[in-house]
Amino acid sequence: MTYQGLIHRYGRYLELPSHTKNISLLEGNTPLIPMPRLSKEFGCELSVKFEGLNPSGSFKDRGMTAAVSEAVGRGVQTVICASTGNTAASAAAYASRAGLRAIVLIPEGKVAAGKLAGAITYGAEVIQVQGSFDDALTLVVEITQKTPIVLVNSINPFRIEGQKTAAFEICDDLGCAPDWLCLPVGNAGNITSYWAGFKQYQKGLPRVLGVQAAGAAPLVLGHPVDKPETIATAIRIGKPARGEQALEAAQQSNGKIIAVTDAEILSAQRILASEGVWVEPASAAGLAGLMAESGSRSAKHEARDKKVVVVCTGHGMKDPSIITESFQPPKIIPANYEALIGLIEK
Ligand code: F0G
C-alpha cells in the first residue's frame, strides 16, 4: 500500500483522542542513511536518520501532524507557537493544510532565512519578539491560557506522541534499537519523544547522547542560561521546557548530555556533507557530540563496534547563512574557456 503518513502508519501506538482528524503531508518515513566512510573512521556502524527530508524540512512535522490533527478535530481555529524557526515553518505548513490560522513568535533577527521564508510562504502570521526563544515561549504559554488559541510547542503532549514515531521507524529499519542514539537538544521535546518511543516499542533501548551548544547548555550547566548564544540558532535555548525529562532520558538510558562548541558543530556539519548529507548546524550537533566523546575520530571509545544512529533534525537548506560563516565563497571568472581551464588545472 502506498504510504499514507505517520498517523496512518503508527496511530495505534499514539495516544490521540478519538476526535482527532488526520491532517497529513505524508511526513515521516525518512531514510536511515548508512555512512560507510564515517563508520570506518569511528569504528562503529554509523547511520544518519535524516529528518531534513520531512515535508517542511525538519523533524517537527512528526509532532505537528499529531498536534494539528488533534486541534482541528475539536474545532480549534487558531494555533500558536514560539520558535527558533523549524517549529514555526512546520506549524505554518500543517495549519495551512488544515485551514487554520497560524501565529508564530520568533526571536528577532535570530531565525535562519530558510525557516522564516517557509513560515511566511505557508501563510503564517510571523511576529518577531525583542527577546529570546524562551521569552517568546513565555508569551505564547500566557496567551493560550487566556484565549482559545492552542499551543503547538512541544509542551503540547500530542507533539511528543507524534515525535515518538522516529524511534519506531529506527527500530523497524534496524530490526532493533541502536546501541547509541546521538541528537541535538534544545527545548528537549525530541529527546523526550525518542526515549518514550523506544520504551514503548520494546525493541531494546539505546544509550542516549543529548548534545547542546556550549553557549546554550542549561542542562549541562545545571541552571537556565539568560542570554543563550550559538551559531546553531535552532537550539539557541536557555530554559528548555522539557529539561527534566531530557535529564531523565539521559540518566535512565545510561547516556549523557554534553555540550559542544560552535567550531565542533561546524566541523561536524562539514564532515556529514563530505559524505553527501547536508544538514543545518544544529543538526550536526549529534555527530559533534559523538566526536567529542570519542576523543579523536579514530580513538577507542564507548560507541566502538556499536550500532550508532545520529539524528540529523533539519535540512541544510534551512540555513544558507552558513556560506559566509563556514565555507569559502565561490571564485569568480570572466566568461571564457581560458579562464575556466586556468582555474581548474591550477
Ligand atoms: N534540531 C533542530 C533543527 C531544531 O529546530 C530543534 C528545535 C532541535 C534540534 C532541538 O529539538 O527542541 O525538541 O530539543 N527547534 C525548536 C523550534 C525549538 O522552534 O524549531 P528540541
Side-chain angles (χ1 to χ4, degrees):
M1 210 200 325
T2 54
Y3 184 66
Q4 293 179 56
L6 285 176
I7 293 180
H8 181 262
R9 175 171 285 181
Y10 291 114
R12 66 189 186 281
Y13 296 100
L14 309 180
E15 268 185 53
L16 298 174
S18 57
H19 64 243
T20 301
K21 177 171 178 268
N22 192 352
I23 303 293
S24 176
L25 289 163
L26 308 192
E27 60 293 314
N29 200 19
T30 56
L32 188 62
I33 306 176
M35 304 294 279
R37 291 211 302 266
L38 271 183
S39 296
K40 209 164 161 204
E41 266 184 65
F42 280 96
C44 58
E45 201 182 305
L46 197 149
S47 35
V48 162
K49 181 68 171 161
F50 193 17
E51 291 289 276
L53 295 180
N54 275 294
S56 82
S58 85
F59 73 97
K60 304 286 182 181
D61 295 342
R62 293 180 184 277
M64 211 52 79
T65 182
V68 169
S69 295
E70 188 279 331
V72 80
R74 68 180 147 101
V76 166
Q77 300 196 334
T78 307
V79 294
I80 196 167
C81 65
S83 181
T84 56
N86 280 322
T87 303
S90 184
Y94 283 81
S96 74
R97 184 79 177 182
L100 303 184
R101 181 177 175 200
I103 305 169
V104 306
L105 271 63
I106 58 174
E108 183 190 10
K110 295 290 184 183
V111 167
K115 303 175 188 181
L116 186 55
I120 293 169
T121 307
Y122 291 125
E125 293 159 54
V126 180
I127 301 170
Q128 300 202 66
V129 176
Q130 294 174 323
S132 64
F133 166 86
D134 307 286
D135 298 321
L137 187 60
T138 304
L139 281 173
V140 295
V141 166
E142 185 177 351
I143 206 162
T144 53
Q145 283 164 350
K146 294 178 175 166
T147 71
I149 301 174
V150 163
L151 184 71
V152 291
N153 280 102
S154 59
I155 298 171
N156 179 324
F158 305 115
R159 282 278 313 277
I160 303 297
E161 288 302 306
Q163 285 174 209
K164 291 191 307 195
T165 57
F168 304 162
E169 286 179 9
I170 291 172
C171 292
D172 287 346
D173 282 352
L174 294 176
C176 60
D179 298 298
W180 276 94
L181 183 86
C182 310
L183 81 171
V185 176
N187 210 27
N190 210 26
I191 189 172
T192 300
S193 309
Y194 268 100
W195 187 237
F198 283 117
K199 283 197 293 193
Q200 181 182 352
Y201 216 52
Q202 302 196 345
K203 297 266 171 70
L205 295 171
R207 296 174 72 179
V208 178
L209 179 67
V211 187
Q212 299 207 288
L219 300 178
V220 179
L221 297 169
H223 59 76
V225 175
D226 261 0
K227 292 197 164 48
E229 217 33 271
T230 168
I231 191 165
T233 51
I235 52 172
R236 186 177 167 276
I237 293 174
K239 201 166 165 276
R242 290 190 183 266
E244 291 293 316
Q245 283 160 284
L247 292 168
E248 223 173 83
Q251 194 221 348
Q252 287 181 4
S253 74
N254 192 24
K256 52 181 109 170
I257 297 188
I258 62 167
V260 294
T261 64
D262 281 3
E264 289 173 313
I265 288 174
L266 292 176
S267 160
Q269 185 192 33
R270 277 194 294 269
I271 289 167
L272 286 163
S274 75
E275 203 167 351
V277 179
W278 181 29
V279 307
E280 65 164 290
S283 293
L287 180 65
L290 181 68
M291 286 163 59
E293 281 297 288
S294 328
S296 80
R297 283 166 74 180
S298 58
K300 279 234 171 282
H301 53 84
E302 290 181 81
R304 193 148 196 101
D305 299 329
K306 299 283 184 347
K307 276 196 177 74
V308 179
V309 170
V310 168
V311 181
C312 288
T313 43
H315 203 286
M317 289 180 202
K318 291 273 192 176
D319 194 353
S321 71
I322 211 64
I323 294 172
T324 51
E325 313 265 0
S326 179
F327 291 91
Q328 289 293 318
K331 297 205 168 61
I332 300 172
I333 57 164
N336 64 58
Y337 181 80
E338 288 69 32
L340 176 61
I341 196 78
L343 191 68
I344 63 181
E345 283 194 337
K346 201 162 55 141

